[in-house]
Amino acid sequence: WHTEIMQQIHAAQTLSELQSLRSHWLGRRGIITLAMKGLSSLSIEERRSQGQQLNALRETVLDLLTSRQQEMEMAEETTQLQREQFDMTLPGSWPQTGLLHPITRTRRFIEDVFLRMGFSLEYGPEIEHEWYNFEALNMPANHPARDMQDSFFINVPGMVLRTHTSPVQIRAMKKYQGRLPVRIIAPGRAFRRDDDATHVPMFFQVEGLVIDHGITLADLKGTLTTMAQELLGTDIRTRFRPSYFPFTEPSVEMDVTCASCGGTGCRVCKGTGWVEILGSGMVHPVVLTNGGYDPSQVSGFAFGLGIERLAMRIFGIDDLRLLYQNDMQFLSQFQSYI
Ligand code: PHE
């Protein structure tokens, strides 16, 4: 048996193979165990000599099994350690850091300018009652300006995706309940059914509204020119052109000198040297009344500017659609965390 056992133990590759050899030879019904039990049927002399041999064999096998088991356990531990070893001198992998979108930065920039001028922030819903979006702003159901707005209607009668941030003018007036002064801006999304190189169906505006005793067009021009110079630099110039909005009278649009050509005329400004950035005007008496203010006592101005236009102007972006493609190559050019 001795040689047989030696061969088997050396051939064993795993701890469980060793374990089964152990029970095969030394277990309760193991070959050596049974042989030892069978000794009682022998004569005293045979029992003594065979007993000694079997005992010695048992000892040898036990020792061998134990030392093989220790070897295997150590080998296993070594491979485990090798597997778990790591090189702490390797360079780390850098997580990508997020950046603020140029539109977000422009919006915050605008908010900052107006907050420093004493304005506060107001917000209104993107899904709006037609009354706030149109009627209250002096655009009754048959008013032709409603067509100009190219509205998205939704399945709920009387509701639209707001076509501009101007409904927040009415909401703010109602919230202020006739108190003075009203001096607010309202940033947010607006929705119109157009989609081409210079228009997208969802865009951002910042609405502004000031109401107090004796507010004039001079306040409008001064405030908006200051804003433009804060945003675009003091060397910029502004001009105001007469325009029309149902909710302001008179209405004016503000242009700034073109950044691409500095005012000499190019493709961006279609040769005029000027780029339009906002619509504005003196709040129409009907609108003041709808908001709960008395047009014989107070007056105000309002404006609505497109954030995208300003972002393009500030960051030198020439295609509006780049702002919405979420192309990391494009966006990662604007490294700033503020
Ligand atoms: N709501 C107008 C637009 O979206 C802009 C505007 C706002 C004009 C306030 C005058 C006063 O074009």
Side-chain angles (χ1 to χ4, degrees), residues 149 163-166 169 192 205 207-208 245 247-248 279-281 302-304:
Q149 303 262 333
T163 58
H164 49 183
T165 44
S166 298
Q169 288 186 35
R192 283 183 206 171
Q205 289 190 323
E207 193 77 13
F245 300 101
F247 33 92
T248 45
S280 62
F303 59 89

Side-chain angles (χ1 to χ4, degrees), residues 225-238 255-259 274 277 313:
T225 300
T226 302
M227 173 206 73
Q229 290 179 342
E230 289 277 327
L231 292 175
L232 303 170
T234 42
D235 50 344
I236 196 148
R237 281 174 301 134
T238 56
D255 297 343
V256 295
T257 37
C258 178
W274 297 95
I277 62 165
R313 165 82 214 230

Side-chain angles (χ1 to χ4, degrees), residues 65 135 165 205 210 276:
L65 280 171
E135 273 91 341
T165 44
Q205 289 190 323
V210 173
E276 181 212 324

